[in-house]
Amino acid sequence: MFRDTQKIIVEDGVAPSAPYVINIRMEDLLEKLKLLSYDAEFVQNLKMKPVNRHYFVVPTNPGEQFYTFTCLAAWLIRKAGKNFEMPQESDDPNSTIALILDYLRDIDIPVEFPPNKLKQGTGEHAVYVLDNLADNALKIENFKWNKANIPPDEPTPEPDIEDDDAELILEKVEEEMMAEYDDEDQDVLHIDDITKFYSQNINEAQKPDSILESKTNRDEWQLELEKVLPRLKVTVKTDSRDWRAHLEQMKQLRVNIANNLSGTKTHLNKIYTDIGNTLDKIKTRETYLNRQLEPSLTEYRTLQEELSKVKDQYRDVSGGVTERTRVLSKLMEELEHVKREMDERGSSMTDGTPLINIKKTITKMKYEISEMNIRIGVLEYSLMCARIRDRTQLREDMNSTSASVII
């Protein structure tokens, strides 16, 4: 049975192990996914990245983790027998989360957190959703635990310990020596004899069968060494990040600066002196030129003042000309308007079109008057007939009334 991963509450409050409950629940989720053939159906068939036991616990890549979370939730929903489309990376995350939470509510799993808690794809809420979906999928597939088959207790054979002749045990030596002294009329056993016998046995055990002696010629060995020696070069690559290399470099640069400082200082002093002399010469030449060009500069200033006065006068005159030009253009526009009116009046006086239009209008009015007279006559005739009809009807009614009275 899976471990219960609910929050552990103690009398004083939350237990110290409460922050690690999500890790335990994530491990349980992985076990449930393995029971649902997660490796074959989800990882291999859908070409998805496998998750580890800290994947939905520690946020590393929110985009990738959210996509994996939605795909895994959709796969678990499909394992439960419901049609659910696999999400894509371009889908709206809010709609995908809403569909997953709606399914959880349909299977009576409480959702007591806002949907935006699942947008990161990690955390206790994401693990909570996946764990409940996995439980539902196992329930739909009728998964049951089998009883544990405990084999009967069998005596375990003791491993055979091989005797090592190279190791000598002091008790064994004592037993052998005691047996030897028992055979020789049970003489007294001395500790010196035991130590001597023990050292002899060790020497005999460590002594090689044959002594190795070198049969190589010294001259041939020396010749071979001279052939190989040029190739035995050890190249040590210095690491640029090593502080020792930086320290040695700083020391070398300091020595070089100290050696070159005296000559460089002399050259710099000489350059400083030359620059000072050159600046003095330039200042003297500038003073001389200013003194020589003073009359020309005074004349130039006078000409500039006169030029500014002439420009002001020209600006005033040009302003008057501009005003007069504007008035002239206005008068020209008025003259053009008067000429246009005179031409229109002259053309209207010589044109007979208005008279023809008046005649046409009079003819049209006469025709309309005649039509109105005819309509009036028709209406008068109709009115007269109606009056005659009414009088005749009145007479007939009076005659019939009088006849009825007589009767």
Side-chain angles (χ1 to χ4, degrees), residues 140-162:
I140 296 297
E141 292 189 355
N142 295 323
F143 175 79
K144 294 181 180 179
W145 292 99
N146 296 327
K147 292 184 178 181
N149 186 11
I150 303 174
D153 295 336
E154 296 180 357
T156 56
E158 295 181 359
D160 298 334
I161 300 175
E162 298 180 357

Side-chain angles (χ1 to χ4, degrees), residues 3 22-32 53-54:
R3 292 166 292 182
I22 185 174
N23 299 80
I24 301 174
R25 193 159 195 171
M26 183 64 199
E27 292 180 0
D28 291 344
L29 174 62
L30 286 180
E31 297 297 331
K32 296 175 186 177
R53 60 193 183 97
H54 301 295

Side-chain angles (χ1 to χ4, degrees), residues 45-88:
N45 294 345
L46 299 180
K47 307 297 181 183
M48 296 297 296
K49 180 181 178 181
V51 299
N52 52 35
R53 60 193 183 97
H54 301 295
Y55 189 79
F56 293 114
V57 177
V58 181
T60 55
N61 189 349
E64 178 185 349
Q65 287 175 321
F66 177 75
Y67 177 65
T68 306
F69 163 74
T70 54
C71 292
L72 188 57
W75 178 74
L76 291 172
I77 294 173
R78 295 175 67 178
K79 287 288 289 184
K82 182 178 178 60
N83 294 328
F84 197 93
E85 295 183 359
M86 294 299 293
Q88 304 294 328

